[in-house]
């Protein structure tokens, strides 16, 4: 079933992009890409790559490295600026493509495009600040300086939940730093990445500087194993991130890993409940909960819990589930049947462990095409140490956990192995600052939704959510570059 709204897709976008050329995978292997909102819509059969394809891409990146590095950051930034202008003109194409293959609401997809543009603007501006320092020398007629050098070829392994923004916040700093790159996106969202690579090609980025290898584990494993790859930036599951880290440890491969979260919103006894409900609605059910910073736990004081649920549950029950292109839809499908099944299994397990489903809890089919629709779900009486409270679901499933005072709420929030986002609702300035100080999370919020941040604030987690320098920040250069020092006598 062809979607007539996407008319710029060409056959080349089904392929890999290596050394400035679109090419089939070795052996011509392919994988179908299906619209999660409508299983009849097969977007295309995309290249399924292996080690041979990855090796070719890495070798092309290595060959392009000296000339790209020699340009310097200011001239390299002009390519990012050009790409940003092209993205502004192609914004609707990207948004509709994201919605078609990932499933999110069109409004959410447009927001993702805007974030990608902001990332390019921010990163381009960093070109004139990638400086070292001049320090005093111990000898006369001597200068002592420090400066940065790109680490070399990098592998960029990106997820499906933000198929434009997350690759962009890897590609942009990689290229500006002087690295050359091989992008290996999720096999669930290959088309958006193909259009991203097209964007940089049309912006004039030289052949070999940015390469694209489509596929799943075989391509990723070959990228980690290749001796010419100096670093891997990965966003995805903790298991895969740990495997990447182990796989490159023997050769001291540099890794940057963002690995998910089990994020809590603390609602204290003095919270503004209307604001808290608004924030939980956005944090838990925006993009069907498929965000590393999504609100998956509400830790609510016993004194206000009943009233909070009285206000929350009717609003969740009223959410309209449907395709992302339908302007009446308020919550989108999850990305595929595996994710749908995982959500339903988590709900069932929570019920077996004593949880009470207040709304949702099942698949939605009435009046919808055959897709991956899960009803937005609120589960009460969740034990703080149960599976649902401890493990990431990555879907529209919210657990409600009762707390007895501020200290108990902090204890529960910090009880998980993750530490991506932490949020508190309170009227007390003292407790707000104390929560910011004591929550074990990388991105902290007070009296606002606990998802997202600005394009220039570090996207960073704590504990098992993060390893290596944060992305979307000046600190990202500590991944893509390494320091040098020099003493110059004259």
């Amino acid at each position: 079933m062809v979607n007539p709204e996407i008319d710029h897709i060409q056959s080349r976008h089904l392929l890999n992009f290596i050394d400035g050329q679109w090419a089939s995978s070795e052996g011509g292997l392919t994988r179908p890409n299906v619209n999660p909102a409508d299983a009849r819509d097969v977007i295309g059969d995309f290249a399924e790559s292996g080690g041979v394809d990855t090796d070719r891409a890495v070798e092309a990146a290595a060959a392009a490295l000296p000339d790209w590095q020699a340009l310097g950051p200011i001239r390299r930034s002009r390519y990012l600026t050009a790409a940003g202008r092209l993205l502004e003109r192609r914004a609707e194409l990207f948004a509709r493509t994201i919605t078609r293959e990932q499933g999110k609401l069109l409004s959410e997809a447009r927001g993702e495009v805007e974030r990608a543009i902001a990332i390019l603007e921010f990163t381009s501006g960093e070109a004139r600040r990638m400086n070292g320092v001049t320090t005093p020398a111990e000898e006369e007629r001597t200068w002592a300086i420090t400066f940065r050098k790109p680490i070399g070829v990098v592998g960029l392994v990106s997820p499906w939940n933000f198929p434009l923004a997350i690759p962009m916040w890897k590609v942009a700093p990689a290229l500006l730093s002087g690295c050359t790159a091989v992008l290996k996106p999720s096999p669930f969202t290959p088309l958006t990445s193909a259009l991203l690579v097209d964007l940089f090609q049309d912006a004039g980025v030289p052949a070999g500087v940015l390469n694209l290898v489509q596929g799943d584990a075989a391509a990723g494993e070959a990228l980690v194993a290749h001796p010419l790859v100096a670093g891997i930036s990965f966003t995805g599951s903790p298991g895969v991130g740990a495997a990447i880290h182990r796989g490159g440890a023997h050769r001291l491969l540099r890794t940057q890993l963002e690995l998910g979260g089990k994020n809590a919103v603390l609602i204290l006894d003095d919270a503004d409940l209307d604001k808290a409900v608004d924030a939980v609605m956005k944090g838990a059910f925006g993009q069907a909960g498929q965000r590393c910073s999504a609100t998956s736990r509400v830790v609510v004081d016993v004194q206000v819990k009943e009233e909070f649920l009285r206000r929350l549950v009717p609003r969740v029950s009223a959410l309209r589930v449907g395709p992302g292109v339908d302007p009446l839809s308020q919550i989108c499908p999850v990305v595929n049947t595996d994710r749908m099944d995982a959500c339903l299994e988590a709900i069932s397990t929570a019920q077996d462990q004593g949880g009470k489903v207040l709304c949702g809890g099942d698949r939605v089919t009435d009046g919808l095409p055959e897709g991956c629709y899960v009803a937005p779900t609120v589960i009460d009486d969740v034990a703080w140490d149960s599976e649902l409270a401890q493990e990431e679901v990555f879907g529209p499933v919210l657990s409600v956990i009762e707390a007895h005072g501020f200290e108990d709420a902090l204890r529960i929030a910090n009880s998980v192995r993750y530490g991506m986002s932490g949020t508190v609702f309170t009227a007390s300035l003292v407790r707000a600052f104390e929560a910011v100080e004591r929550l074990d999370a990388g991105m902290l919020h007070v009296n606002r939704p606990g998802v997202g941040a600005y394009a220039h604030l570090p996207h960073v987690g704590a504990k098992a959510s993060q390893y290596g320098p944060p992305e979307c920040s000046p600190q990202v250069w500590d991944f893509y570059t390494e320091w040098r020092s020099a003493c110059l006598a004259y």
Side-chain angles (χ1 to χ4, degrees):
M1 181 178 178
V2 176
N3 187 333
E5 294 178 307
I6 305 294
D7 57 3
H8 290 75
I9 308 308
Q10 300 183 29
S11 59
R12 70 176 188 272
H13 295 130
L14 304 175
L15 308 176
N16 293 326
F17 184 74
I18 299 173
D19 201 17
Q21 302 292 323
W22 296 92
S24 301
S25 62
E26 179 72 13
L29 297 176
T30 62
R31 173 194 290 259
N33 183 23
V34 178
N35 184 342
D38 188 345
R40 299 169 297 175
D41 180 17
V42 179
I43 300 166
D45 292 316
F46 287 78
E48 180 69 15
S49 305
V52 173
D53 306 294
T54 302
D55 289 350
R56 288 180 53 226
V58 171
E59 289 158 9
L65 183 63
D67 288 345
W68 184 245
Q69 179 181 338
L71 287 177
I74 293 175
R75 283 185 290 174
R76 290 192 295 263
S77 74
R78 295 168 187 163
Y79 293 99
L80 272 62
T81 300
R85 290 170 179 161
L86 287 173
L87 182 54
E88 288 177 339
R89 294 202 290 270
R90 300 177 188 178
E92 190 64 9
L93 168 64
F94 271 92
R96 290 187 175 275
T97 299
I98 292 167
T99 291
R100 186 182 178 197
E101 70 171 356
Q102 194 274 342
K104 67 181 66 176
L105 301 179
L106 192 53
S107 59
E108 295 171 333
R110 288 171 177 150
E112 181 175 349
V113 175
E114 288 299 316
R115 183 171 178 84
I117 292 169
I119 290 164
L120 281 168
E121 291 174 346
F122 169 74
T123 308
S124 297
E126 288 290 291
R128 297 177 186 273
R129 297 195 295 190
M130 290 184 62
N131 51 295
V133 297
T134 302
T135 68
E138 295 182 1
E139 302 144 318
E140 62 181 20
R141 299 177 62 83
T142 303
W143 285 75
I145 63 172
T146 66
F147 60 98
R148 292 181 181 271
K149 294 270 288 185
I151 62 173
V153 177
V154 291
L156 311 176
V157 184
S158 61
W160 48 263
N161 60 328
F162 286 92
L164 176 63
I166 292 181
M168 190 66 81
W169 77 46
K170 297 178 188 296
V171 169
L175 298 194
L176 186 68
S177 71
C179 294
T180 54
V182 178
L183 173 63
K184 207 297 289 180
S186 167
F188 305 144
T189 52
L191 180 53
T192 305
S193 290
L195 294 178
L196 181 151
V197 169
D198 229 5
L199 191 79
F200 281 94
Q201 183 187 31
D202 291 346
V205 171
V209 171
L210 177 60
N211 305 273
L212 172 69
V213 176
Q214 302 281 17
D216 204 355
E221 289 168 0
L223 199 57
V224 173
H226 201 292
L228 293 179
V229 174
I232 296 285
S233 178
F234 169 79
T235 301
S237 70
V240 175
I244 288 171
H245 195 61
R246 288 193 302 268
H250 70 284
R251 61 184 186 88
L252 304 182
L253 176 72
R254 184 175 293 199
T255 57
Q256 179 187 49
L257 311 172
E258 194 262 281
L259 304 174
K262 190 66 183 175
N263 310 294
V265 170
L266 279 59
I267 301 175
L268 304 184
D269 57 7
D270 60 347
D272 183 321
L273 294 184
D274 287 331
K275 286 186 178 180
V277 168
D278 288 344
V280 170
M281 291 291 295
K282 180 177 180 180
F285 303 111
Q287 204 172 301
Q290 299 172 113
R291 295 182 284 200
C292 64
S293 59
T295 300
S296 58
R297 295 180 296 156
V298 167
V299 181
V300 56
D301 192 278
V302 63
Q303 296 186 50
V304 295
K305 175 186 167 185
E306 183 177 346
E307 179 60 23
F308 170 76
L309 290 176
R310 189 187 68 79
R311 302 185 194 192
L312 174 73
V313 173
R315 289 185 58 181
V316 177
S317 299
L319 286 173
R320 182 185 175 108
V321 181
V325 294
D326 184 344
L328 297 179
S329 296
Q330 296 172 296
I331 183 169
C332 66
V334 295
V335 72
N336 56 29
T337 55
D338 287 345
R339 178 85 339 251
M340 179 176 65
D341 292 343
C343 291
L344 297 177
E345 182 178 352
I347 294 167
S348 177
T349 299
Q351 289 178 291
D352 292 342
Q353 295 177 351
K356 179 182 179 183
V357 174
L358 301 182
C359 62
D362 50 14
R363 183 179 182 182
V364 182
T365 57
D366 291 348
L368 295 173
E370 184 182 350
C372 305
Y373 300 99
V374 177
T377 301
V378 177
I379 304 180
D380 192 14
D381 296 334
V382 176
W384 68 269
D385 57 351
S386 66
E387 184 175 339
L388 183 65
Q390 294 288 314
E391 297 301 327
E392 194 171 33
V393 176
F394 229 64
V397 181
L398 176 68
S399 57
V400 178
I401 305 169
E402 185 175 285
H404 296 264
F406 181 43
E407 290 296 327
D408 193 39
L410 284 174
R411 176 192 65 80
I412 293 168
N414 291 336
S415 68
V416 298
R417 60 180 173 139
Y418 299 103
M420 183 58 67
S421 174
T423 305
V424 63
F425 277 83
T426 179
S428 166
L429 188 62
V430 172
R431 291 202 291 188
F433 274 97
E434 189 168 357
V436 167
E437 177 71 22
R438 294 175 60 190
L439 282 170
D440 288 338
M443 295 181 289
L444 301 162
H445 306 267
V446 176
N447 295 331
R448 68 185 302 275
V451 292
Y454 309 118
H456 57 282
L457 279 179
H459 191 283
V460 62
K463 300 193 288 189
S465 290
Q466 179 81 35
Y467 180 86
E471 300 184 276
C472 300
S473 69
Q475 291 76 33
V476 76
W477 309 121
D478 290 333
F479 174 73
Y480 291 105
T481 67
E482 54 192 7
W483 284 105
R484 297 283 192 272
S485 66
C487 298
L488 294 79
Y490 60 94

